Amino acid sequence: MDPVTTDLSAAEEDVYSDSEVLCLMRVGRYTDWLRLFENTEITIGRGLDVTYQVLSPSCALMISRLHCTFKQREDGQWTVTDKKTPNGVWVNGKRISAEEPHHLRIGDSIQLGVPITGTFVEFDYILVQRRLKDIKHYLTKRRKDGKKSKRKLTVEEVEPSTSKPKLYRCSSGDKSFVKPCSLSPVKWQQRLSPSQLEDTGPNLQMYSQNILILREQVDDTQRQVASFGGKPQQADPLREEPVRELQGQLETLRAKMHGMETLEKSLGETKRKLEEEKTQQQEELLKKQLDEALQEQKKVIDELALSREGFEEILLAKNKELEVSKEEKEQARAQKEEVVTQVTEVLENELQCIICSELFIEAVILNCAHSFCSHCIKQWRKKKDECPICRRAIQSQTRCLALDNCIDSMVENLSLDMKSRRQTLITERKGESRSLWCSGDGDPR
């Protein structure tokens, strides 16, 4: 940019010297501050018909012809609008949408373009409000009414597609042999259309396109130099100055192209290293995830093994309990069978009638203390009136209810066959007794 000057008249300075104004303070520099005039649309770009012309010495295409506009709304708030630029407008580190006004506040960071080298943006501003008399020496001169600057432009500052080369401003009257060294607007738009550039700023594609453009410029300039015969002729001063201009442009373009090629190689190498590092990081991440999965699987297997051991212990305990219960049941069954056997033996040995060999039915006790069934002893006394065991004369017989009750209680634990046979026998004997009494054959004794 030009050395910093202001465009205020002396009267304006006297009136507004103590008032506060808004401006874009360039970060890291005490020059190139851009004042935002009230009720005025401020345009910024590398073109000639803007309020502030911004030219990048490192990358001519970093700033678009019309890069962005600043405008004050009716409520007094300022907005910035990106005019569909390839390298964008960034507010507080975030790229704003194209053709959409973005609201600004005091202290906001506004960046135009993206970093070329390192991490710093070339055109970095902060929206501040200061007294005019304190900052008037830092303000950049604006172009009034869209007029072109009268300052001579260097080769680096010449806009490739819109600005005419210096050859067209030569004092020579014959301009038929002079041609611009830049590309035509159509070719420029075809090579650097916004759709071909990524929104993230400079990249390999952009540098490759710039190198192609510079090569075409070099070829075009070389052709122009060749058209003059390669060397300036002393006899024709009108041809000498254009040749020198073309040679200077050729050297400048070659230097630029060499720098761009070097930068492209550097970026390619950096990109390759980043891809290798990314691949390595992905492999390490996958390896780490695999190790974690294996550890988790091992943990699950260990937990399952512990659970299995616990279940096995529980099953062993249950089996032991079942075995103990089975043994106890066997012992109880054996004891019960032993009791039944003993009871059966007692019944057979002590509670049987020796006449019928059955358990006593309506047991009676004779005067000799021997016991018999009431029915059996009656039948026996019809033949002999003596005890079948001791042969003593039978003088008396007495019913023994205690013996009957004991036998009935013990019979309850016997088998069903014995119970059924005993009941059948009792029924038959009662029937016989009833028949005897009815026929009159009963023994009166």
Side-chain angles (χ1 to χ4, degrees):
M1 290 189 179
D2 294 332
V4 182
T5 57
T6 61
D7 58 348
L8 296 176
S9 63
E12 289 176 334
E13 292 181 359
D14 294 338
V15 175
Y16 298 108
S17 60
D18 291 332
S19 61
E20 293 186 348
V21 296
L22 284 176
C23 71
L24 298 177
M25 180 181 68
R26 189 164 181 181
V27 177
R29 298 183 64 175
Y30 289 103
T31 59
D32 300 341
W33 292 14
L34 310 179
R35 179 181 173 183
L36 302 181
F37 294 92
E38 296 181 355
N39 302 321
T40 304
E41 184 178 31
I42 307 299
T43 57
I44 297 177
R46 73 168 187 268
L48 300 177
D49 54 348
V50 295
T51 306
Y52 295 109
Q53 186 182 39
V54 177
L55 300 174
S56 173
S58 58
C59 181
L61 303 180
M62 177 61 68
I63 304 300
S64 301
R65 299 179 185 87
L66 177 58
H67 199 89
C68 62
T69 60
F70 290 84
K71 189 174 182 180
Q72 188 178 26
R73 300 189 308 189
E74 295 180 356
D75 57 359
Q77 298 295 331
W78 281 87
T79 60
V80 60
T81 304
D82 183 358
K83 307 303 288 185
K84 296 184 179 180
T85 59
N87 297 320
V89 177
W90 306 74
V91 178
N92 297 327
K94 295 183 179 180
R95 184 168 183 171
I96 65 175
S97 303
E99 296 294 345
E100 294 184 7
H102 185 82
H103 175 65
L104 295 176
R105 292 177 295 183
I106 301 296
D108 283 350
S109 171
I110 299 97
Q111 297 175 340
L112 308 182
V114 292
I116 295 295
T117 57
T119 60
F120 298 99
V121 180
E122 185 175 358
F123 297 101
D124 191 358
Y125 299 93
I126 298 178
L127 182 63
V128 298
Q129 188 172 11
R130 298 286 190 272
R131 289 190 303 177
L132 180 58
K133 67 179 182 179
D134 296 335
I135 65 173
K136 63 181 180 180
H137 299 291
Y138 306 143
L139 297 177
T140 299
K141 183 179 179 180
R142 68 166 179 167
R143 298 174 180 273
K144 296 183 179 180
D145 301 329
K147 294 181 180 178
K148 296 183 179 180
S149 174
K150 295 182 180 180
R151 179 174 60 89
K152 292 184 179 181
L153 302 178
T154 63
V155 176
E156 292 81 0
E157 295 175 341
V158 174
E159 206 288 317
S161 61
T162 59
S163 302
K164 294 183 179 180
K166 193 173 181 180
L167 293 177
Y168 280 133
R169 298 194 297 272
C170 181
S171 59
S172 173
D174 185 9
K175 301 178 182 178
S176 59
F177 57 85
V178 182
K179 297 181 180 179
C181 63
S182 61
L183 295 176
S184 63
V186 176
K187 291 184 178 180
W188 186 266
Q189 293 177 359
Q190 290 176 351
R191 292 200 175 272
L192 291 178
S193 61
S195 61
Q196 293 177 335
L197 295 176
E198 298 182 0
D199 293 336
T200 56
N203 48 36
L204 289 176
Q205 182 181 6
M206 186 184 71
Y207 288 121
S208 299
Q209 293 171 346
N210 290 341
I211 289 174
L212 292 176
I213 294 171
L214 290 174
R215 284 176 179 172
E216 291 186 6
Q217 292 178 352
V218 170
D219 295 339
D220 196 5
T221 306
Q222 288 177 345
R223 286 194 297 270
Q224 295 177 31
V225 173
S227 65
F228 286 100
K231 296 182 180 180
Q233 300 179 5
Q234 298 179 356
D236 192 354
L238 297 177
R239 297 170 59 88
E240 181 180 355
E241 184 177 356
V243 171
R244 286 198 300 268
E245 292 289 342
L246 288 174
Q247 288 178 347
Q249 291 182 9
L250 182 60
E251 294 298 327
T252 302
L253 292 174
R254 285 176 178 174
K256 282 188 176 181
M257 186 170 66
H258 178 71
M260 295 291 285
E261 290 176 349
T262 304
L263 185 59
E264 183 183 20
K265 292 180 181 179
S266 177
L267 287 176
E269 185 67 19
T270 303
K271 183 178 180 181
R272 184 183 62 80
K273 291 181 179 180
L274 289 176
E275 290 178 352
E276 292 178 355
E277 292 178 358
K278 184 178 180 181
T279 303
Q280 185 178 2
Q281 290 177 356
Q282 290 178 350
E283 291 178 355
E284 293 178 354
L285 180 62
L286 290 175
K287 185 177 179 181
K288 183 178 180 181
Q289 291 177 352
L290 181 60
D291 293 339
E292 292 177 354
L294 291 176
Q295 292 178 0
E296 188 69 21
Q297 184 179 8
K298 183 178 179 181
K299 184 178 179 181
V300 172
I301 292 175
D302 295 339
E303 292 178 354
L304 291 176
L306 293 175
S307 301
R308 181 178 179 181
E309 292 178 358
F311 284 127
E312 289 179 353
E313 292 178 356
I314 294 173
L315 289 175
L316 290 175
K318 293 294 183 182
N319 290 332
K320 289 182 180 179
E321 292 179 359
L322 290 175
E323 291 177 359
V324 172
S325 300
K326 186 176 180 180
E327 291 177 358
E328 291 178 352
K329 288 181 179 179
E330 291 292 336
Q331 292 178 359
R333 185 176 63 80
Q335 290 177 358
K336 183 177 181 180
E337 290 179 353
E338 184 178 359
V339 170
V340 171
T341 302
Q342 293 176 356
V343 170
T344 303
E345 290 177 357
V346 171
L347 290 174
E348 291 178 351
N349 296 331
E350 303 297 334
L351 302 178
Q352 264 187 353
C353 177
I354 64 171
I355 299 175
C356 63
S357 299
E358 297 289 346
L359 296 177
F360 292 127
I361 299 175
E362 295 182 357
V364 294
I365 299 176
L366 301 181
N367 55 303
C368 62
H370 292 121
S371 299
F372 304 93
C373 295
S374 176
H375 175 75
C376 295
I377 197 62
K378 286 180 181 180
Q379 296 296 329
W380 176 265
R381 291 183 70 179
K382 289 180 180 179
K383 299 177 181 179
K384 293 181 180 181
D385 196 13
E386 58 183 15
C387 177
I389 298 175
C390 63
R391 301 301 179 177
R392 291 176 63 181
I394 299 175
Q395 298 177 356
S396 64
Q397 62 180 34
T398 307
R399 283 286 307 277
C400 184
L401 296 177
L403 192 57
D404 289 338
N405 294 332
C406 180
I407 292 172
D408 292 338
S409 299
M410 297 179 72
V411 168
E412 294 295 330
N413 295 324
L414 298 179
S415 62
L416 295 176
D417 293 339
M418 294 184 68
K419 291 180 181 180
S420 177
R421 190 178 68 175
R422 177 177 174 79
Q423 189 65 33
T424 302
L425 186 60
I426 292 173
T427 304
E428 290 177 354
R429 289 183 180 183
K430 286 183 178 180
E432 291 179 0
S433 299
R434 193 179 295 108
S435 299
L436 291 174
W437 282 106
C438 292
S439 61
D441 295 335
D443 187 358
R445 293 175 294 183

